[in-house]
PDB file of all heavy atoms in Angstrom:
ATOM      1  N   MET A  29       0.751  -1.151   0.021  1.00 24.00           N
ATOM      2  CA  MET A  29      -0.045  -0.046  -0.058  1.00 24.00           C
ATOM      3  C   MET A  29       0.902   1.321   0.076  1.00 24.00           C
ATOM      4  O   MET A  29       0.557   2.221  -0.681  1.00 24.00           O
ATOM      5  CB  MET A  29      -0.880  -0.028   1.260  1.00 24.00           C
ATOM      6  CG  MET A  29      -1.844  -1.233   1.270  1.00 24.00           C
ATOM      7  SD  MET A  29      -3.250  -0.902   2.447  1.00 24.00           S
ATOM      8  CE  MET A  29      -2.301  -1.070   3.913  1.00 24.00           C
ATOM      9  N   GLU A  42       5.306   5.710  10.578  1.00 36.00           N
ATOM     10  CA  GLU A  42       4.327   5.825  11.861  1.00 36.00           C
ATOM     11  C   GLU A  42       5.197   6.335  12.987  1.00 36.00           C
ATOM     12  O   GLU A  42       4.666   6.919  13.943  1.00 36.00           O
ATOM     13  CB  GLU A  42       3.759   4.442  12.255  1.00 36.00           C
ATOM     14  CG  GLU A  42       2.784   3.939  11.144  1.00 36.00           C
ATOM     15  CD  GLU A  42       3.541   3.177  10.039  1.00 36.00           C
ATOM     16  OE1 GLU A  42       4.795   2.997  10.174  1.00 36.00           O
ATOM     17  OE2 GLU A  42       2.940   2.850   9.103  1.00 36.00           O
ATOM     18  N   GLU A  58      -6.714   2.281  24.340  1.00 87.00           N
ATOM     19  CA  GLU A  58      -7.509   3.524  23.946  1.00 87.00           C
ATOM     20  C   GLU A  58      -7.910   4.351  25.166  1.00 87.00           C
ATOM     21  O   GLU A  58      -7.765   5.510  25.200  1.00 87.00           O
ATOM     22  CB  GLU A  58      -8.743   3.009  23.170  1.00 87.00           C
ATOM     23  CG  GLU A  58      -9.585   4.220  22.726  1.00 87.00           C
ATOM     24  CD  GLU A  58     -10.849   3.743  21.994  1.00 87.00           C
ATOM     25  OE1 GLU A  58     -11.300   2.625  22.252  1.00 87.00           O
ATOM     26  OE2 GLU A  58     -11.499   4.589  21.298  1.00 87.00           O
ATOM     27  N   ASP A  82     -22.145  10.934  24.338  1.00 96.00           N
ATOM     28  CA  ASP A  82     -22.394  10.492  23.020  1.00 96.00           C
ATOM     29  C   ASP A  82     -22.012  11.692  22.046  1.00 96.00           C
ATOM     30  O   ASP A  82     -21.462  11.418  20.925  1.00 96.00           O
ATOM     31  CB  ASP A  82     -23.695  10.059  22.648  1.00 96.00           C
ATOM     32  CG  ASP A  82     -24.016   8.662  23.413  1.00 96.00           C
ATOM     33  OD1 ASP A  82     -23.959   8.674  24.617  1.00 96.00           O
ATOM     34  OD2 ASP A  82     -24.273   7.727  22.796  1.00 96.00           O
ATOM     35  N   SER A  83     -22.428  12.889  22.413  1.00 97.00           N
ATOM     36  CA  SER A  83     -22.129  14.026  21.640  1.00 97.00           C
ATOM     37  C   SER A  83     -21.806  15.240  22.477  1.00 97.00           C
ATOM     38  O   SER A  83     -22.053  15.130  23.688  1.00 97.00           O
ATOM     39  CB  SER A  83     -23.371  14.436  20.754  1.00 97.00           C
ATOM     40  OG  SER A  83     -23.751  13.501  19.856  1.00 97.00           O
ATOM     41  N   ALA A  84     -21.188  16.124  21.990  1.00 98.00           N
ATOM     42  CA  ALA A  84     -20.979  17.434  22.733  1.00 98.00           C
ATOM     43  C   ALA A  84     -22.040  18.414  22.286  1.00 98.00           C
ATOM     44  O   ALA A  84     -22.819  18.267  21.431  1.00 98.00           O
ATOM     45  CB  ALA A  84     -19.555  18.141  22.358  1.00 98.00           C
ATOM     46  N   VAL A  86     -22.552  22.739  21.785  1.00 98.00           N
ATOM     47  CA  VAL A  86     -21.761  23.951  21.592  1.00 98.00           C
ATOM     48  C   VAL A  86     -22.708  25.078  21.299  1.00 98.00           C
ATOM     49  O   VAL A  86     -23.760  24.924  20.675  1.00 98.00           O
ATOM     50  CB  VAL A  86     -20.800  23.862  20.363  1.00 98.00           C
ATOM     51  CG1 VAL A  86     -20.032  25.132  20.062  1.00 98.00           C
ATOM     52  CG2 VAL A  86     -19.930  22.644  20.481  1.00 98.00           C
ATOM     53  N   ALA A  88     -24.203  28.377  19.795  1.00 98.00           N
ATOM     54  CA  ALA A  88     -24.376  29.106  18.469  1.00 98.00           C
ATOM     55  C   ALA A  88     -25.309  30.298  18.657  1.00 98.00           C
ATOM     56  O   ALA A  88     -26.523  30.209  18.321  1.00 98.00           O
ATOM     57  CB  ALA A  88     -24.958  28.126  17.456  1.00 98.00           C
ATOM     58  N   GLY A  91     -27.952  31.456  16.336  1.00 98.00           N
ATOM     59  CA  GLY A  91     -28.898  30.556  15.674  1.00 98.00           C
ATOM     60  C   GLY A  91     -28.263  29.941  14.379  1.00 98.00           C
ATOM     61  O   GLY A  91     -29.076  29.372  13.671  1.00 98.00           O
ATOM     62  N   PHE A  93     -24.342  28.075  12.811  1.00 98.00           N
ATOM     63  CA  PHE A  93     -22.945  27.924  12.977  1.00 98.00           C
ATOM     64  C   PHE A  93     -22.313  27.707  11.643  1.00 98.00           C
ATOM     65  O   PHE A  93     -22.862  27.188  10.746  1.00 98.00           O
ATOM     66  CB  PHE A  93     -22.669  26.820  13.995  1.00 98.00           C
ATOM     67  CG  PHE A  93     -23.223  25.468  13.568  1.00 98.00           C
ATOM     68  CD1 PHE A  93     -22.261  24.464  12.929  1.00 98.00           C
ATOM     69  CD2 PHE A  93     -24.449  25.019  13.795  1.00 98.00           C
ATOM     70  CE1 PHE A  93     -22.751  23.268  12.587  1.00 98.00           C
ATOM     71  CE2 PHE A  93     -24.842  23.815  13.457  1.00 98.00           C
ATOM     72  CZ  PHE A  93     -24.055  22.900  12.919  1.00 98.00           C
ATOM     73  N   VAL A  95     -19.236  25.641   9.651  1.00 98.00           N
ATOM     74  CA  VAL A  95     -18.583  24.374   9.818  1.00 98.00           C
ATOM     75  C   VAL A  95     -17.639  24.136   8.682  1.00 98.00           C
ATOM     76  O   VAL A  95     -18.115  24.341   7.495  1.00 98.00           O
ATOM     77  CB  VAL A  95     -19.530  23.237  10.110  1.00 98.00           C
ATOM     78  CG1 VAL A  95     -20.573  23.152   9.091  1.00 98.00           C
ATOM     79  CG2 VAL A  95     -18.860  21.905  10.239  1.00 98.00           C
ATOM     80  N   LEU A  99      -8.826  17.207   6.220  1.00 95.00           N
ATOM     81  CA  LEU A  99      -8.138  15.890   6.606  1.00 95.00           C
ATOM     82  C   LEU A  99      -6.673  16.020   6.268  1.00 95.00           C
ATOM     83  O   LEU A  99      -6.329  16.522   5.125  1.00 95.00           O
ATOM     84  CB  LEU A  99      -8.865  14.903   5.691  1.00 95.00           C
ATOM     85  CG  LEU A  99      -8.588  13.391   5.870  1.00 95.00           C
ATOM     86  CD1 LEU A  99      -8.966  13.008   7.263  1.00 95.00           C
ATOM     87  CD2 LEU A  99      -9.431  12.654   4.933  1.00 95.00           C
ATOM     88  N   ASP A 127     -10.245  28.443   7.482  1.00 98.00           N
ATOM     89  CA  ASP A 127     -11.498  28.231   6.675  1.00 98.00           C
ATOM     90  C   ASP A 127     -12.732  28.922   7.438  1.00 98.00           C
ATOM     91  O   ASP A 127     -13.590  29.392   6.811  1.00 98.00           O
ATOM     92  CB  ASP A 127     -11.812  26.816   6.440  1.00 98.00           C
ATOM     93  CG  ASP A 127     -10.945  26.300   5.291  1.00 98.00           C
ATOM     94  OD1 ASP A 127     -10.683  26.918   4.376  1.00 98.00           O
ATOM     95  OD2 ASP A 127     -10.580  25.045   5.384  1.00 98.00           O
ATOM     96  N   ASP A 177     -12.715  11.416  18.327  1.00 94.00           N
ATOM     97  CA  ASP A 177     -12.587   9.989  18.137  1.00 94.00           C
ATOM     98  C   ASP A 177     -11.186   9.514  17.861  1.00 94.00           C
ATOM     99  O   ASP A 177     -10.393  10.291  17.204  1.00 94.00           O
ATOM    100  CB  ASP A 177     -13.573   9.628  16.971  1.00 94.00           C
ATOM    101  CG  ASP A 177     -13.769   8.038  16.926  1.00 94.00           C
ATOM    102  OD1 ASP A 177     -13.684   7.451  17.918  1.00 94.00           O
ATOM    103  OD2 ASP A 177     -14.118   7.595  15.825  1.00 94.00           O
ATOM    104  N   MET A 185      -3.524   9.794  10.519  1.00 96.00           N
ATOM    105  CA  MET A 185      -4.312  10.869   9.978  1.00 96.00           C
ATOM    106  C   MET A 185      -5.103  11.529  10.834  1.00 96.00           C
ATOM    107  O   MET A 185      -5.473  11.068  11.960  1.00 96.00           O
ATOM    108  CB  MET A 185      -5.166  10.248   8.758  1.00 96.00           C
ATOM    109  CG  MET A 185      -6.046   9.169   9.092  1.00 96.00           C
ATOM    110  SD  MET A 185      -7.666   9.674   8.727  1.00 96.00           S
ATOM    111  CE  MET A 185      -8.128  10.719  10.117  1.00 96.00           C
ATOM    112  N   ASP A 285      -9.397  31.594   2.074  1.00 98.00           N
ATOM    113  CA  ASP A 285      -8.037  31.581   2.562  1.00 98.00           C
ATOM    114  C   ASP A 285      -7.122  30.884   1.500  1.00 98.00           C
ATOM    115  O   ASP A 285      -7.547  30.121   0.626  1.00 98.00           O
ATOM    116  CB  ASP A 285      -7.894  30.698   3.881  1.00 98.00           C
ATOM    117  CG  ASP A 285      -7.858  29.215   3.663  1.00 98.00           C
ATOM    118  OD1 ASP A 285      -8.834  28.708   3.048  1.00 98.00           O
ATOM    119  OD2 ASP A 285      -6.819  28.552   4.011  1.00 98.00           O
ATOM    120  N   TYR A 387      -4.577  14.732  -5.732  1.00 41.00           N
ATOM    121  CA  TYR A 387      -4.708  13.532  -6.720  1.00 41.00           C
ATOM    122  C   TYR A 387      -3.682  13.682  -7.781  1.00 41.00           C
ATOM    123  O   TYR A 387      -3.756  12.811  -8.563  1.00 41.00           O
ATOM    124  CB  TYR A 387      -6.213  13.476  -7.073  1.00 41.00           C
ATOM    125  CG  TYR A 387      -6.997  12.859  -5.936  1.00 41.00           C
ATOM    126  CD1 TYR A 387      -7.968  13.659  -5.415  1.00 41.00           C
ATOM    127  CD2 TYR A 387      -6.779  11.610  -5.543  1.00 41.00           C
ATOM    128  CE1 TYR A 387      -8.728  13.250  -4.290  1.00 41.00           C
ATOM    129  CE2 TYR A 387      -7.523  11.196  -4.444  1.00 41.00           C
ATOM    130  CZ  TYR A 387      -8.543  11.915  -3.897  1.00 41.00           C
ATOM    131  OH  TYR A 387      -9.292  11.442  -2.825  1.00 41.00           O
TER     132      TYR A 387
ATOM    133  N   MET B   6       3.104  -2.054   6.645  1.00 24.00           N
ATOM    134  CA  MET B   6       2.010  -1.435   7.496  1.00 24.00           C
ATOM    135  C   MET B   6       0.818  -2.393   7.616  1.00 24.00           C
ATOM    136  O   MET B   6       0.216  -2.431   8.728  1.00 24.00           O
ATOM    137  CB  MET B   6       1.637  -0.127   6.780  1.00 24.00           C
ATOM    138  CG  MET B   6       2.863   0.807   6.664  1.00 24.00           C
ATOM    139  SD  MET B   6       2.343   2.483   6.439  1.00 24.00           S
ATOM    140  CE  MET B   6       1.812   2.343   4.734  1.00 24.00           C
ATOM    141  N   GLU B  19      -7.972  -1.959  -0.882  1.00 36.00           N
ATOM    142  CA  GLU B  19      -8.477  -0.796  -1.587  1.00 36.00           C
ATOM    143  C   GLU B  19      -9.542  -1.000  -2.571  1.00 36.00           C
ATOM    144  O   GLU B  19     -10.357  -0.198  -2.824  1.00 36.00           O
ATOM    145  CB  GLU B  19      -7.352   0.031  -2.145  1.00 36.00           C
ATOM    146  CG  GLU B  19      -6.264   0.541  -1.208  1.00 36.00           C
ATOM    147  CD  GLU B  19      -5.267  -0.626  -0.849  1.00 36.00           C
ATOM    148  OE1 GLU B  19      -5.284  -1.608  -1.510  1.00 36.00           O
ATOM    149  OE2 GLU B  19      -4.445  -0.425   0.037  1.00 36.00           O
ATOM    150  N   ASP B  59     -15.359  28.061   1.646  1.00 96.00           N
ATOM    151  CA  ASP B  59     -14.387  27.686   2.675  1.00 96.00           C
ATOM    152  C   ASP B  59     -15.127  26.926   3.789  1.00 96.00           C
ATOM    153  O   ASP B  59     -14.578  25.929   4.390  1.00 96.00           O
ATOM    154  CB  ASP B  59     -13.633  28.762   3.291  1.00 96.00           C
ATOM    155  CG  ASP B  59     -12.774  29.551   2.325  1.00 96.00           C
ATOM    156  OD1 ASP B  59     -13.284  29.886   1.233  1.00 96.00           O
ATOM    157  OD2 ASP B  59     -11.502  29.529   2.503  1.00 96.00           O
ATOM    158  N   SER B  60     -16.340  27.207   4.167  1.00 97.00           N
ATOM    159  CA  SER B  60     -17.042  26.613   5.167  1.00 97.00           C
ATOM    160  C   SER B  60     -18.513  26.542   4.728  1.00 97.00           C
ATOM    161  O   SER B  60     -19.011  27.271   3.873  1.00 97.00           O
ATOM    162  CB  SER B  60     -16.966  27.347   6.480  1.00 97.00           C
ATOM    163  OG  SER B  60     -15.636  27.435   6.952  1.00 97.00           O
ATOM    164  N   ALA B  61     -19.300  25.764   5.377  1.00 98.00           N
ATOM    165  CA  ALA B  61     -20.876  25.749   5.210  1.00 98.00           C
ATOM    166  C   ALA B  61     -21.344  26.522   6.432  1.00 98.00           C
ATOM    167  O   ALA B  61     -20.766  26.748   7.507  1.00 98.00           O
ATOM    168  CB  ALA B  61     -21.289  24.278   5.211  1.00 98.00           C
ATOM    169  N   VAL B  63     -24.889  26.334   8.936  1.00 98.00           N
ATOM    170  CA  VAL B  63     -26.023  25.402   9.252  1.00 98.00           C
ATOM    171  C   VAL B  63     -26.869  26.186  10.373  1.00 98.00           C
ATOM    172  O   VAL B  63     -26.343  26.863  11.232  1.00 98.00           O
ATOM    173  CB  VAL B  63     -25.522  24.042   9.797  1.00 98.00           C
ATOM    174  CG1 VAL B  63     -26.667  23.170  10.192  1.00 98.00           C
ATOM    175  CG2 VAL B  63     -24.531  23.440   8.826  1.00 98.00           C
ATOM    176  N   ALA B  65     -29.109  26.652  13.618  1.00 98.00           N
ATOM    177  CA  ALA B  65     -29.084  26.092  15.046  1.00 98.00           C
ATOM    178  C   ALA B  65     -30.162  26.917  15.877  1.00 98.00           C
ATOM    179  O   ALA B  65     -29.837  27.869  16.586  1.00 98.00           O
ATOM    180  CB  ALA B  65     -27.691  26.186  15.662  1.00 98.00           C
ATOM    181  N   GLY B  68     -29.982  28.174  19.357  1.00 98.00           N
ATOM    182  CA  GLY B  68     -28.727  28.777  19.812  1.00 98.00           C
ATOM    183  C   GLY B  68     -27.771  27.828  20.327  1.00 98.00           C
ATOM    184  O   GLY B  68     -26.763  28.250  21.030  1.00 98.00           O
ATOM    185  N   PHE B  70     -25.841  23.690  19.207  1.00 98.00           N
ATOM    186  CA  PHE B  70     -25.950  22.488  18.396  1.00 98.00           C
ATOM    187  C   PHE B  70     -25.182  21.390  19.031  1.00 98.00           C
ATOM    188  O   PHE B  70     -24.311  21.477  19.861  1.00 98.00           O
ATOM    189  CB  PHE B  70     -25.363  22.763  17.006  1.00 98.00           C
ATOM    190  CG  PHE B  70     -23.881  23.099  16.936  1.00 98.00           C
ATOM    191  CD1 PHE B  70     -22.907  22.153  16.682  1.00 98.00           C
ATOM    192  CD2 PHE B  70     -23.483  24.434  17.034  1.00 98.00           C
ATOM    193  CE1 PHE B  70     -21.528  22.500  16.671  1.00 98.00           C
ATOM    194  CE2 PHE B  70     -22.122  24.798  17.034  1.00 98.00           C
ATOM    195  CZ  PHE B  70     -21.138  23.800  16.782  1.00 98.00           C
ATOM    196  N   VAL B  72     -22.889  17.892  18.519  1.00 98.00           N
ATOM    197  CA  VAL B  72     -22.006  17.522  17.552  1.00 98.00           C
ATOM    198  C   VAL B  72     -21.274  16.273  18.048  1.00 98.00           C
ATOM    199  O   VAL B  72     -20.927  16.054  19.235  1.00 98.00           O
ATOM    200  CB  VAL B  72     -20.931  18.589  17.325  1.00 98.00           C
ATOM    201  CG1 VAL B  72     -20.211  19.195  18.543  1.00 98.00           C
ATOM    202  CG2 VAL B  72     -19.840  18.127  16.300  1.00 98.00           C
ATOM    203  N   LEU B  76     -15.053   7.844  13.275  1.00 95.00           N
ATOM    204  CA  LEU B  76     -14.106   7.517  12.208  1.00 95.00           C
ATOM    205  C   LEU B  76     -14.219   6.012  11.836  1.00 95.00           C
ATOM    206  O   LEU B  76     -14.161   5.189  12.823  1.00 95.00           O
ATOM    207  CB  LEU B  76     -12.736   7.821  12.793  1.00 95.00           C
ATOM    208  CG  LEU B  76     -11.501   7.832  11.963  1.00 95.00           C
ATOM    209  CD1 LEU B  76     -11.620   8.744  10.723  1.00 95.00           C
ATOM    210  CD2 LEU B  76     -10.321   8.270  12.756  1.00 95.00           C
ATOM    211  N   ASP B 104     -25.458   8.670  17.690  1.00 98.00           N
ATOM    212  CA  ASP B 104     -24.877   9.566  18.811  1.00 98.00           C
ATOM    213  C   ASP B 104     -25.588  10.831  18.992  1.00 98.00           C
ATOM    214  O   ASP B 104     -25.663  11.326  20.104  1.00 98.00           O
ATOM    215  CB  ASP B 104     -23.418   9.770  18.509  1.00 98.00           C
ATOM    216  CG  ASP B 104     -22.512   8.662  18.826  1.00 98.00           C
ATOM    217  OD1 ASP B 104     -22.834   7.827  19.773  1.00 98.00           O
ATOM    218  OD2 ASP B 104     -21.525   8.444  18.186  1.00 98.00           O
ATOM    219  N   ASP B 154     -14.411  16.757   2.733  1.00 94.00           N
ATOM    220  CA  ASP B 154     -13.003  16.949   2.275  1.00 94.00           C
ATOM    221  C   ASP B 154     -12.714  15.529   1.734  1.00 94.00           C
ATOM    222  O   ASP B 154     -13.180  14.540   2.139  1.00 94.00           O
ATOM    223  CB  ASP B 154     -12.059  17.299   3.337  1.00 94.00           C
ATOM    224  CG  ASP B 154     -10.762  17.647   2.968  1.00 94.00           C
ATOM    225  OD1 ASP B 154     -10.519  18.035   1.726  1.00 94.00           O
ATOM    226  OD2 ASP B 154      -9.812  17.535   3.776  1.00 94.00           O
ATOM    227  N   SER B 156      -9.294  13.226   0.372  1.00 93.00           N
ATOM    228  CA  SER B 156      -7.830  13.225   0.467  1.00 93.00           C
ATOM    229  C   SER B 156      -7.330  11.791  -0.016  1.00 93.00           C
ATOM    230  O   SER B 156      -8.188  10.945  -0.221  1.00 93.00           O
ATOM    231  CB  SER B 156      -7.341  13.542   1.833  1.00 93.00           C
ATOM    232  OG  SER B 156      -6.026  13.720   1.800  1.00 93.00           O
ATOM    233  N   MET B 162     -10.739   5.534   4.442  1.00 96.00           N
ATOM    234  CA  MET B 162     -11.328   5.819   5.751  1.00 96.00           C
ATOM    235  C   MET B 162     -12.284   6.968   5.565  1.00 96.00           C
ATOM    236  O   MET B 162     -12.253   7.819   4.737  1.00 96.00           O
ATOM    237  CB  MET B 162     -10.208   6.212   6.844  1.00 96.00           C
ATOM    238  CG  MET B 162      -9.336   7.250   6.468  1.00 96.00           C
ATOM    239  SD  MET B 162      -9.398   8.598   7.709  1.00 96.00           S
ATOM    240  CE  MET B 162     -10.880   9.452   7.136  1.00 96.00           C
ATOM    241  N   ASP B 262     -26.238   5.308  23.068  1.00 98.00           N
ATOM    242  CA  ASP B 262     -26.492   4.271  22.099  1.00 98.00           C
ATOM    243  C   ASP B 262     -25.608   3.038  22.299  1.00 98.00           C
ATOM    244  O   ASP B 262     -24.378   3.197  22.811  1.00 98.00           O
ATOM    245  CB  ASP B 262     -26.278   4.772  20.606  1.00 98.00           C
ATOM    246  CG  ASP B 262     -24.944   4.875  20.104  1.00 98.00           C
ATOM    247  OD1 ASP B 262     -24.097   5.583  20.773  1.00 98.00           O
ATOM    248  OD2 ASP B 262     -24.572   4.221  19.134  1.00 98.00           O
TER     249      ASP B 262
END
Side-chain angles (χ1 to χ4, degrees):
Chain A
M29 297 200 287
E42 296 82 9
E58 183 187 15
D82 293 59
S83 299
V86 179
F93 62 95
V95 54
L99 188 59
D127 281 328
D177 189 26
M185 55 122 280
D285 81 301
Y387 288 111
Chain B
M6 297 201 287
E19 296 82 8
D59 293 59
S60 299
V63 179
F70 63 94
V72 54
L76 189 58
D104 281 328
D154 190 25
S156 192
M162 56 123 280
D262 81 301

